[in-house]
């Protein structure tokens, strides 16, 4: 997954380094905060469903308020222990879409 993060960082840097006119049309953003996995902890001896997540995204404005966006999101992780077995769930997403 480090390759994906590096590729997205390179794409975001490329968007940010455009010409003065392109800079008005391209954008890069970052968001971070607490994440919480909606999961049942029934039958576990310990359970932590909260963590820290982040999103890195970039876009290009097409005019009229419309844009295309590409992004990567790390949705955090949840940890649980049941019968001496440790379980870790991590969520990630690669995003592509339109924005208005």
């Amino acid at each position: 997954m480090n390759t994906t993060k590096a590729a997205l960082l390179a794409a975001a840097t490329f968007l940010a380094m455009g010409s003065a006119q392109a800079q008005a049309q391209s954008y890069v953003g970052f968001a971070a905060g607490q994440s919480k996995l909606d999961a049942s902890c029934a039958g576990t001896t310990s359970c932590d469903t909260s963590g820290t997540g982040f999103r890195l995204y970039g876009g290009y404005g097409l005019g009229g308020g419309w844009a295309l966006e590409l992004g990567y999101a790390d949705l955090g992780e949840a940890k649980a222990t049941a019968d001496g077995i440790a379980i870790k769930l991590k969520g990630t997403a690669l995003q592509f879409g339109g924005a208005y």
Side-chain angles (χ1 to χ4, degrees), residues 43-46 79-88:
T44 63
T45 54
S46 69
K79 300 175 189 173
T81 304
D83 297 326
I85 299 171
I87 301 165
K88 185 189 297 187

Side-chain angles (χ1 to χ4, degrees), residues 16-78:
M17 292 174 43
S19 67
Q21 183 180 7
Q23 284 182 356
Q25 296 174 354
S26 62
Y27 57 92
V28 177
F30 178 79
Q34 183 177 8
S35 64
K36 181 155 178 67
L37 182 65
D38 186 16
S40 171
C41 292
T44 63
T45 54
S46 69
C47 184
D48 181 10
T49 59
S50 63
T52 303
F54 71 89
R55 179 176 181 235
L56 174 64
Y57 60 95
Y60 185 80
L62 302 173
W66 291 96
L68 292 176
E69 283 191 358
L70 175 67
Y72 172 79
D74 179 328
L75 305 173
E77 67 181 31

